[in-house]
Amino acid sequence: QVQLAESGGGLVQAGGSLRLSCAASGNIFSINTMGWYRQAPGKQRDMVATITSGGSTNYADSVKGRFAISRDNAKNTVYLQMNSLKSEDTAVYYCALTIWPLEYWGQGTQVTVSS
């Protein structure tokens, strides 16, 4: 019954910013991990950033200092603020929710960074 609704993707110029949102609905256990993953054409899906319900974060080396993940536990929503975007950031971004041992995924939202 858990569903993830993503929004915020789009086209942005290199150096610009974009903010992704993902709202989880359903029976969301309060202790969980939410995160963002991305997959470029012909590439594997990689972790971008994760955040626990306690606020602990992890980032891929490629986005450290540029991206920031945050969440609103009351709204079961996770955000990804993406700054200083590069063409290499172009990918489909997927929201994920882990309520151990279960995993839930959003449909993905396209982020295209023009160069």
Side-chain angles (χ1 to χ4, degrees), residues 19-23 32-36 49-59 67-73 75-82 95-96:
R19 190 187 193 219
L20 306 182
S21 299
C22 174
N32 60 62
T33 298
M34 300 186 77
W36 292 93
T50 62
I51 184 168
T52 69
S53 49
S56 297
T57 60
N58 284 291
Y59 295 92
F67 291 9
I69 190 169
S70 61
R71 62 185 292 164
D72 185 333
N73 290 337
K75 298 179 179 178
N76 289 317
T77 299
V78 64
Y79 307 92
L80 184 67
Q81 179 65 47
M82 303 184 293
C95 177

Side-chain angles (χ1 to χ4, degrees), residues 35-46:
W36 292 93
Y37 296 72
R38 67 187 182 187
Q39 186 168 22
K43 304 292 182 62
Q44 66 180 8
R45 185 177 298 186
D46 293 324

